[in-house]
Amino acid sequence: MTTPVCPFVKAARPDDNGSAKKSTVGGSEATRKDSGDYATVSPKCPFGYDSNNFKLGPLSCMICQALLFDCTKCIPCSHLFCKVCISRFKDCPLCGADIEKLEADTNLQSMVDRFIEGHARIKRAHVGVNGEGEQVSNDDKKVIYEDVSLDRGAFLVQQAMRAFRAQNIESAKSRLIMCAEDIRDQLEKMGNTSELCSQLGAVLGMLGDCCRAMGDAAAAINYFEESVEFLTKLPADDLEITHTLSVSLNKIGDLKYYDGDLQASRSYYFRSLGVRRDVIKNHPGVASQILDVAVSLAKVADVDRTLGKEDVAVDGFQEGIKLLESLTLKSEEAGLEPRRLSVLAFLKSQLEEKQHEATASSVSS
């Protein structure tokens, strides 16, 4: 299971008017000022759910380290966990007590749900700044709403990624669905901006991963296809976007392949290969992109062989081998060497397999 990457990293979320909010980290004075006599301050989540510092808050599951989902109490020790997480244990992982039975804690789960719903917005009074630069509370100022600690989208993806890593897929899926709904709301207000389309495309891809992990191939394909739809609206010169797009196309191809639809599988693999070829034309020296092309060549060639197009398949395998054998990694790219060797070994094994078959055929004849 691959670990997804948060699409909100270093992304500034636009406000409803289309202007970007700017604030500094750590509770310092925000740069936006509506007038000279007051300013806003960066809010902090009172429960410690912060984007910069990892902390398990009181509403977290100690097993998956994400917010509680389907909150369940161990009897008799009363420790609380996500239902999926604690169901794997016979003894409480916190105190070691035997678990006699499990009970749903709907009251605490309701509190968690309300916390998630309100986490992105908090009611705060304006804070004035005196002549010495000190912040002074002013109750006469009208109340405003600001993001708490981090953008709601980043908060939800952060929790989803923790749950996904711990294989609490239902929890991850639930958080990602909320995140996708938030982005869709922003798209309705602001239109198809590159930032929002990129974020939604990535989140939809992560939802596809969740559905695939749950064995729901049809839903996974729907999410991946929608991800592709949004990512194809974006400029093709962004390496991260094109990589995410090509990966989504390959994942659809994989699911079609396992379902026995080889023609559809090849179509998606070939689209992914096209995206990756275009990237190395514009960025010829990026080793990771060359590796991606070799992987796509292997996928297309593998389907071609299954379809009986042996000569076309051999050409694809050989092209991939040539790419990887001529690839020279820089010192800072040394981490890519195991992947290069692994893909190269696979490509060579495919050619050797054909050679063995040809030898066996000639001997028998």
Side-chain angles (χ1 to χ4, degrees), residues 151-341:
D151 171 41
R152 177 179 168 90
F155 170 70
L156 290 169
V157 170
Q158 177 195 66
Q159 297 301 311
M161 290 171 69
R162 290 180 187 173
F164 190 88
R165 284 193 293 266
Q167 299 184 37
N168 190 345
I169 310 301
E170 285 283 0
S171 174
K173 183 181 176 184
S174 173
R175 309 311 183 209
L176 291 170
I177 287 174
M178 293 179 66
C179 183
E181 290 173 352
D182 281 358
I183 302 173
R184 291 185 199 279
D185 288 343
Q186 290 291 316
L187 283 169
E188 289 183 6
K189 296 175 183 176
M190 304 179 61
N192 292 333
T193 68
S194 293
E195 180 184 339
L196 291 175
C197 286
S198 174
Q199 291 175 357
L200 184 56
V203 170
L204 290 169
M206 293 164 72
L207 276 166
D209 287 333
C210 288
C211 292
R212 187 168 65 166
M214 296 167 68
D216 190 348
I221 288 174
N222 288 337
Y223 278 124
F224 287 134
E225 286 182 336
E226 194 175 2
S227 171
V228 168
E229 177 187 346
F230 279 97
L231 292 173
T232 51
K233 297 176 182 178
L234 301 172
D237 57 353
D238 187 307
L239 293 181
E240 184 176 346
I241 290 172
T242 52
H243 176 75
T244 304
L245 171 60
S246 64
V247 168
S248 290
L249 288 167
N250 273 342
K251 287 177 178 177
I252 300 172
D254 290 342
L255 291 167
K256 295 290 186 181
Y257 185 91
Y258 299 141
D259 195 42
D261 191 346
L262 297 181
Q263 293 291 353
S265 174
R266 189 188 188 283
S267 174
Y268 283 105
Y269 286 154
F270 193 74
R271 284 179 63 187
S272 176
L273 175 59
V275 170
R276 292 176 171 183
R277 283 193 191 278
D278 288 342
V279 169
I280 63 171
K281 286 180 183 177
N282 299 321
H283 305 276
V286 181
S288 61
Q289 305 302 319
I290 295 173
L291 273 168
D292 283 348
V293 170
V295 170
S296 284
L297 285 167
K299 286 180 175 289
V300 173
D302 184 53
V303 177
D304 282 335
R305 169 172 284 176
T306 306
L307 289 170
K309 301 176 182 179
E310 187 60 37
D311 291 341
V312 178
V314 168
D315 288 344
F317 290 133
Q318 289 178 338
E319 183 182 353
I321 291 171
K322 183 178 178 181
L323 270 178
L324 294 180
E325 287 184 337
S326 62
L327 177 61
T328 302
L329 298 177
K330 301 174 183 176
S331 57
E332 60 270 21
E333 298 171 330
L336 295 174
E337 180 63 7
R339 185 183 177 212
R340 187 189 75 87
L341 293 175

Side-chain angles (χ1 to χ4, degrees), residues 32 44 62 89 106 108 129 182 192 199 209 269 326 334:
R32 181 178 63 83
K44 293 289 288 184
M62 297 297 291
F89 293 83
T106 55
L108 182 57
V129 179
D182 281 358
N192 292 333
Q199 291 175 357
D209 287 333
Y269 286 154
S326 62

Side-chain angles (χ1 to χ4, degrees), residues 5-194:
V5 178
C6 178
F8 294 84
V9 174
K10 296 182 181 179
R13 183 177 182 179
D15 61 20
D16 294 342
N17 297 320
S19 60
K21 293 179 182 178
K22 298 179 181 179
S23 62
T24 53
V25 177
S28 61
E29 180 184 345
T31 58
R32 181 178 63 83
K33 295 186 178 182
D34 295 326
S35 68
D37 60 345
Y38 67 84
T40 60
V41 292
S42 297
K44 293 289 288 184
C45 173
F47 289 106
Y49 293 100
D50 188 89
S51 59
N52 301 301
N53 302 302
F54 176 79
K55 178 180 178 182
L56 283 176
L59 305 180
S60 299
C61 169
M62 297 297 291
I63 298 174
C64 69
Q65 301 187 346
L67 287 170
L68 289 162
F69 179 79
D70 204 358
C71 183
T72 301
K73 180 188 297 184
C74 297
I75 303 298
C77 67
S78 296
H79 287 128
L80 297 157
F81 307 92
C82 299
K83 183 178 179 179
V84 168
C85 296
I86 194 58
S87 295
R88 305 166 188 159
F89 293 83
K90 295 182 178 180
D91 303 325
C92 175
L94 280 180
C95 67
D98 291 341
I99 300 175
E100 297 178 5
K101 65 176 181 177
L102 299 172
E103 289 184 355
D105 192 328
T106 55
N107 289 332
L108 182 57
Q109 187 59 55
S110 177
M111 183 184 299
V112 174
D113 294 341
R114 291 197 304 272
F115 171 74
I116 293 173
E117 184 62 30
H119 190 270
R121 300 289 175 187
I122 186 170
K123 189 175 182 180
R124 295 187 299 108
H126 282 293
V127 177
V129 179
N130 63 19
E132 298 178 357
E134 297 176 342
Q135 295 172 353
V136 180
S137 178
N138 188 340
D139 295 334
D140 294 332
K141 297 293 183 182
K142 65 179 181 180
V143 171
I144 60 171
Y145 289 84
E146 287 289 345
D147 286 349
V148 177
S149 299
L150 68 161
D151 171 41
R152 177 179 168 90
F155 170 70
L156 290 169
V157 170
Q158 177 195 66
Q159 297 301 311
M161 290 171 69
R162 290 180 187 173
F164 190 88
R165 284 193 293 266
Q167 299 184 37
N168 190 345
I169 310 301
E170 285 283 0
S171 174
K173 183 181 176 184
S174 173
R175 309 311 183 209
L176 291 170
I177 287 174
M178 293 179 66
C179 183
E181 290 173 352
D182 281 358
I183 302 173
R184 291 185 199 279
D185 288 343
Q186 290 291 316
L187 283 169
E188 289 183 6
K189 296 175 183 176
M190 304 179 61
N192 292 333
T193 68
S194 293

